[in-house]
Amino acid sequence: MSNVQFFPPIGQLAKQADDLPEEQTTTDGDIQEDRPLQEVESLCMRCGEQGITRMMLTSIPYFREVIVMSFRCEHCGMTNNEIQSAGIIRELGVTYTLKVLHRGDLDRQLVRSQACEISIPEFELTLPPNERGQLTTVEGLLRDIVADLGADQPLRRIQNEVAYTKIQEIIDGLKEVIDEDEEDERGVASDKPVVDKLKEDPVKRTITITLDDPSGSSFLEFAGSMADPKWSLKTYTRTLEQAASLGLATANEETKDPSEEDAGDTKAAEGEGDRFDGKNDEKVSIPYFKETLIMSTNCDNCGYRDNEVKAGSAISAKGKKITLKVVDQEDLRRDVLKSETGGLTIPEIELVLQHGTLGGRFTTLEGILDQVYEELSQKLLLTGDSSATGDDDRTKFQTFLEDLNAVERRFIKHVEREFTVILDDPLANSYVQNIYAPDPDPNMTIETYERSWEQNEELGLNDMKVESY
């Protein structure tokens, strides 16, 4: 059976639920069979009576297959809900960062997996991974934090006043962000329409939310397009400890001394399998560029393949911006080295990849575009009543994905229309092949620029001391 049969789209399940009769009885077998939810009796951990757990197997468009579960006890009123991933573990970990500046940012959808760690640096608050996945909004996450922290505050006030004071400062700060005092439960009506308040008004206190998920299964919605200045996505290779926590490696796996390892063969954790396999690396000198370390993983056990590049020379004094005008099929076959610090932009389809997205890659221009489409089509979530993305933006993004699709994006695949690729790397470690070398390339321009203080700070260069060593 296909995944569509087991995990129908969430919109199809919603329509199926709407078509059911309003009056349903649990003894009606035909109705129960048509219901999109599966119900089972479960023990309530609060009162010890039997409650009802409802489960729904569905697929979220542009994200993945999930299992949504909801529990309710009619005896004591206890409720609980969670979401679990039903797909494979991603090849790379992800880090999402969102700057909450306006009320509309609180409506962004958020998917938190069991392996996801959430941090809010303004409050020095870190939420460790837990056993319960979550599908909610930014506001819903903040309200859950307030409820969890406030549950034991009366007891802390008596036992540990210092801890009570510090936690209360966090609770008050989060309430200030979500503006809880002006909610409807107060019974005070606002003169300003709620929609205008949510979408346009600035929050009383700005915060930064970071989702770090080594499994790659979490998601934080952007607004409009990936050029959203308040949103960023970075991917990274899992460490041995992270792979062990996900069950992809054993925790007591011994690592070799680098001096004892073969220079061209190291051990690497697979992204999809459950074993370790050889990872070959080679230091090469690219003509008209610089020395680069190319690493390639190929597993004979499951067929997993991956490659990554890293700079093999000194840090450049200036950044580099490469602009290529793609006019024919030959341009798609150009070798492209995109480093971990490189950002990619295609203005014609409003594609903007922030620095660090996709990690380091050594491939062709066509290969980069295929990897971008695969990454976005599997991860992005643009549906739901509380989505911060409007219908126009959602349609626009659908068109954007079609333009990238290896089958449907005809003007890119067959170059029926010229487009521009901009590769911006503040460390100048990225490269696009010059097919006219050593002569200048008429379709490519290379600019060097001085890095800003913010770029040096993000790269850790401002505090780097190299004198007198």
Side-chain angles (χ1 to χ4, degrees):
M1 293 185 179
S2 64
N3 283 346
V4 176
Q5 185 171 356
F6 282 115
F7 298 90
I10 193 169
Q12 177 180 334
L13 293 180
K15 185 178 184 303
Q16 182 179 349
D18 291 340
D19 294 340
L20 291 176
E22 294 185 2
E23 296 183 359
Q24 301 184 21
T25 61
T26 57
T27 58
D28 192 334
D30 294 336
I31 293 180
Q32 281 291 98
E33 186 176 349
D34 293 338
R35 296 185 65 179
L37 303 178
Q38 301 176 10
E39 296 186 355
V40 294
E41 288 190 352
S42 304
L43 178 67
C44 177
M45 303 306 295
R46 176 184 292 178
C47 67
E49 298 291 341
Q50 291 294 322
I52 298 295
T53 296
R54 295 175 175 85
M55 295 182 293
M56 179 175 68
L57 280 64
T58 183
S59 61
I60 300 177
Y62 305 108
F63 186 54
R64 64 190 312 172
E65 294 83 10
V66 295
I67 303 175
V68 182
M69 293 176 286
S70 175
F71 172 81
R72 178 174 177 79
C73 177
E74 298 295 342
H75 301 278
C76 66
M78 179 182 176
T79 60
N80 184 29
N81 63 82
E82 63 178 289
I83 181 173
Q84 291 187 2
S85 171
I88 62 174
I89 295 177
R90 304 297 183 183
E91 298 178 9
L92 299 173
V94 294
T95 300
Y96 291 93
T97 304
L98 172 66
K99 194 74 174 178
V100 179
L101 302 178
H102 300 88
R103 298 281 300 177
D105 296 330
L106 299 175
D107 290 336
R108 297 178 187 240
Q109 290 183 334
L110 181 150
V111 177
R112 180 189 183 188
S113 74
Q114 293 92 330
C116 179
E117 178 181 277
I118 300 179
S119 61
I120 304 178
E122 287 81 359
F123 299 110
E124 299 182 358
L125 177 65
T126 300
L127 306 181
N130 58 21
E131 298 180 356
R132 196 184 77 174
Q134 195 173 15
L135 172 60
T136 181
T137 62
V138 173
E139 181 177 358
L141 173 68
L142 298 181
R143 289 187 178 277
D144 287 344
I145 295 175
V146 170
D148 291 342
L149 292 179
D152 296 328
Q153 278 297 82
L155 186 60
R156 289 194 193 100
R157 189 170 188 176
I158 300 173
Q159 295 179 342
N160 191 337
E161 190 171 351
V162 176
Y164 165 81
T165 303
K166 292 182 178 180
I167 293 177
Q168 191 61 40
E169 289 177 358
I170 297 177
I171 295 176
D172 294 340
L174 293 177
K175 286 183 177 180
E176 191 176 0
V177 175
I178 60 181
D179 206 1
E180 190 176 65
D181 291 339
E182 297 186 15
E183 291 296 316
D184 290 339
E185 55 260 24
R186 258 189 89 202
V188 179
S190 176
D191 296 335
K192 192 171 185 179
V194 175
V195 175
D196 293 338
K197 170 187 283 294
L198 292 175
K199 301 298 181 183
E200 297 177 359
D201 287 0
V203 294
K204 293 182 178 180
R205 184 169 182 175
T206 61
I207 60 171
T208 304
I209 298 179
T210 301
L211 274 65
D212 186 359
D213 188 353
S215 71
S217 301
S218 296
F219 173 74
L220 184 57
E221 183 185 7
F222 60 76
S225 69
M226 292 188 69
D228 183 359
K230 296 180 286 186
W231 176 93
S232 66
L233 163 65
K234 292 184 179 180
T235 57
Y236 61 88
T237 303
R238 287 185 284 269
T239 64
L240 178 61
E241 292 76 11
Q242 291 172 329
S245 66
L246 296 173
L248 302 179
T250 56
N252 58 352
E253 184 76 24
E254 295 183 0
T255 57
K256 292 183 179 180
D257 189 323
S259 61
E260 299 176 354
E261 289 184 352
D262 184 358
D265 188 17
T266 58
K267 289 292 185 178
E270 290 186 25
E272 295 181 357
D274 56 358
R275 297 177 56 189
F276 285 96
D277 204 42
K279 182 169 184 177
N280 300 315
D281 54 80
E282 187 72 26
K283 194 172 185 178
V284 298
S285 179
I286 299 178
Y288 310 103
F289 186 51
K290 60 173 67 174
E291 288 187 341
T292 303
L293 186 64
I294 300 180
M295 296 172 287
S296 176
T297 302
N298 189 0
C299 178
D300 296 331
N301 181 51
C302 69
Y304 171 74
R305 301 175 63 186
D306 189 26
N307 70 79
E308 189 176 0
V309 296
K310 291 188 180 291
S313 57
I315 296 176
S316 302
K318 296 183 178 181
K320 180 186 291 185
K321 182 179 180 181
I322 304 173
T323 303
L324 174 66
K325 194 72 175 178
V326 180
V327 297
D328 55 31
Q329 289 267 358
E330 290 299 321
D331 291 327
L332 292 176
R333 301 189 182 100
R334 292 179 186 246
D335 290 333
V336 175
L337 190 158
K338 192 194 84 65
S339 75
E340 292 178 317
T341 56
L344 183 70
T345 304
I346 302 179
E348 285 79 2
I349 57 175
E350 298 183 2
L351 169 66
V352 179
L353 295 185
Q354 303 289 344
H355 301 283
T357 305
L358 295 182
R361 286 289 184 268
F362 182 55
T363 179
T364 62
L365 179 58
E366 182 177 357
I368 283 284
L369 297 177
D370 288 339
Q371 289 175 9
V372 171
Y373 173 80
E374 180 181 354
E375 193 78 10
L376 296 183
S377 63
Q378 291 178 352
K379 291 190 176 210
L380 294 186
L381 172 63
L382 294 174
T383 59
D385 296 336
S386 60
S387 172
T389 307
D391 293 336
D392 294 340
D393 290 332
R394 189 177 296 115
T395 303
K396 185 178 180 180
F397 190 77
Q398 292 270 13
T399 305
F400 162 74
L401 282 180
E402 292 176 0
D403 287 340
L404 272 181
N405 188 293
V407 177
E408 297 179 7
R409 54 177 172 80
R410 295 181 58 82
F411 84 90
I412 288 182
K413 193 74 172 179
H414 303 290
V415 197
E416 294 181 357
R417 195 175 100 200
E418 297 180 0
F419 62 97
T420 306
V421 176
I422 302 174
L423 195 58
D424 188 355
D425 191 341
L427 290 183
N429 288 332
S430 296
Y431 162 83
V432 176
Q433 180 186 14
N434 179 2
I435 58 179
Y436 296 91
D439 298 327
D441 192 327
N443 295 328
M444 184 168 63
T445 59
I446 300 178
E447 309 171 37
T448 58
Y449 60 88
E450 295 287 346
R451 288 187 291 267
S452 65
W453 186 92
E454 289 77 10
Q455 288 176 320
N456 285 330
E457 181 70 14
E458 183 178 356
L459 296 170
L461 301 180
N462 288 335
D463 300 325
M464 187 178 294
K465 306 298 182 183
V466 295
E467 296 83 5
S468 303
Y469 280 90

